[in-house]
Amino acid sequence: MMSFDEVRPLQLTLKKYRGAGRSIGFVPTMGALHQGHLDLVARSREECDITVVSIFVNPTQFNNPEDLEKYPRTLEDDLSKLRAMDVEFVFHPPVDEIYPRELDTRKDFVFDGLDEVMEGEFRPGHFAGVAQVVNRLLDIVQPDCLFMGQKDFQQVAIIRKMLEQTTHHVKLVMCPTRREPSGLAMSSRNVRLSPSTKEKAACIFEGLSWIRSNAETLTVDQLKADFREKCQIPPFEVEYIEIAVGDTLRPVSNLSDHSYVVACAAVWADGVRLIDNMIIKDSRAL
Ligand code: AMP
């Protein structure tokens, strides 16, 4: 495994592989790697000849400075996990390699409202920052495939929309959410949960599963109210629970009007913000 912290040497190396006709898979991460990240890496290794993993805690996507400061950073541990998976390249740049003073990396992408709901509503500017960093990383790596997790469903929708507005020729692959045995979605933030809060946080998965199981019989309002009730146990506080059209992320009022529907939630657990989602209906033609 080769690791880089500068753009130029990484680009020169990748150019050789690209020139030799090797396909490049790319997995962008913010580090503190867990099995969810490693699933994306495994998928990239399956589908592409070489895999590049980036580890970069992107300051422009944090609307809360305390969240940025508290974000776990475990580089040595991350590198050893990636080495164990035989990843070819790791890119872990400092902030000024990604955002050099002389380069304007901010683009005015249009998200057609995808950035205004749910995470967009509660984390202003977050998706502009996500699009900025992913676009910059794609410029640098120029991969054939980009692997992202369903765990951040709205983020995948945003990046899909962004790709329509760029010249990157990249296939976006959304990989399933990896969960703890309790059902809790794996997240780098979970290390900040106490053992008892972590155990109780399974209520999020249970609430989403309830929505999926009862989607045909209960109203949207009732499903959302039931979710809130299931997660209304201290120290949890539901920030939002939304049932939305899978492509546009617009709120659904009647499930039978749509073929692709997702339930998305953000829940505060003792000062830690957890997000999760579940596709509750998908009857689209293949
Ligand atoms: P992050 O380091 O949180 O920015 O995540 C990097 C990538 O890993 C994103 O595409 C996430 O959606 C994905 N990811 C994070 N957690 C999970 C999970 N539990 N299962 C699958 N993918 C995940």
Side-chain angles (χ1 to χ4, degrees):
M1 185 174 87
M2 286 174 77
S3 71
F4 296 85
D5 55 10
E6 283 180 287
V7 171
R8 279 302 285 161
L10 173 70
Q11 283 183 316
L12 288 173
T13 305
L14 291 177
K15 200 172 164 191
K16 284 189 221 148
Y17 284 84
R18 207 175 294 111
R22 305 284 203 89
S23 61
I24 299 176
F26 179 44
V27 181
T29 81
M30 298 206 295
L33 301 182
H34 52 66
Q35 192 55 46
H37 297 113
L38 301 185
D39 285 354
L40 308 192
V41 173
R43 183 79 179 268
S44 171
R45 289 191 44 72
E46 255 167 56
E47 293 200 12
C48 298
D49 297 325
I50 61 167
T51 291
V52 182
V53 177
S54 66
I55 297 176
F56 178 64
V57 182
N58 173 36
T60 70
Q61 72 187 69
F62 284 82
N63 52 317
N64 176 347
E66 198 186 321
D67 195 22
L68 171 61
E69 192 195 314
K70 284 195 183 158
Y71 202 84
R73 288 162 172 88
T74 57
L75 184 62
E76 285 314 313
D77 195 37
D78 293 346
L79 294 177
S80 66
K81 286 178 180 162
L82 296 173
R83 209 171 287 120
M85 290 189 77
D86 285 333
V87 165
E88 285 81 5
F89 301 114
V90 179
F91 181 43
H92 52 91
V95 173
D96 58 6
E97 274 300 290
I98 296 297
Y99 303 125
R101 247 172 224 285
E102 64 280 7
L103 193 67
D104 183 10
T105 54
R106 255 194 131 88
K107 303 269 180 314
D108 284 324
F109 295 114
V110 175
F111 297 116
D112 289 348
L114 291 171
D115 58 335
E116 284 162 17
V117 292
M118 303 189 292
E119 291 301 285
E121 187 181 341
F122 289 93
R123 302 185 67 188
H126 169 67
F127 287 123
V130 168
Q132 179 186 21
V133 74
V134 174
N135 188 44
R136 171 80 174 123
L137 289 167
L138 291 175
D139 277 342
I140 295 168
V141 177
Q142 296 178 40
D144 298 281
C145 296
L146 168 65
F147 298 89
M148 302 190 86
Q150 188 198 318
K151 160 77 172 35
D152 299 279
F153 189 88
Q154 190 171 7
Q155 172 169 279
V156 179
I158 290 278
I159 297 304
R160 190 174 293 121
K161 191 85 206 160
M162 181 198 85
L163 290 175
E164 289 172 9
Q165 299 162 66
T166 67
T167 52
H168 299 299
H169 294 291
V170 63
K171 178 177 143 197
L172 174 58
V173 181
M174 182 168 86
C175 306
T177 302
R178 168 69 75 145
R179 299 178 180 282
E180 302 283 354
S182 69
L184 173 66
M186 287 191 183
S187 163
S188 305
R189 290 188 164 86
N190 291 357
V191 295
R192 291 170 51 203
L193 301 172
S194 71
S196 103
T197 305
K198 189 170 172 186
E199 196 186 311
K200 287 191 225 151
C203 64
I204 304 168
F205 174 70
E206 283 156 18
L208 291 171
S209 303
W210 169 268
I211 291 180
R212 187 175 57 188
S213 309
N214 294 280
E216 304 232 319
T217 47
L218 300 178
T219 65
V220 165
D221 286 345
Q222 187 61 55
L223 292 166
K224 293 203 280 192
D226 288 352
F227 178 91
R228 284 184 181 277
E229 203 185 303
K230 286 181 191 303
C231 292
Q232 214 59 273
I233 37 168
F236 297 92
E237 212 172 297
V238 177
E239 188 167 72
Y240 67 78
I241 168 71
E242 195 52 87
I243 298 183
V245 182
D247 315 296
T248 62
L249 302 185
R250 300 225 164 88
V252 161
S253 39
N254 192 347
L255 272 135
S256 56
D257 294 341
H258 305 278
S259 57
Y260 186 35
V261 181
V262 61
C264 301
V267 177
W268 284 95
D270 236 354
V272 183
R273 190 171 182 278
L274 303 174
I275 61 167
D276 199 355
N277 66 80
M278 199 174 280
I279 293 167
I280 58 172
K281 178 174 176 184
D282 189 358
S283 54
R284 295 171 299 172
L286 286 177

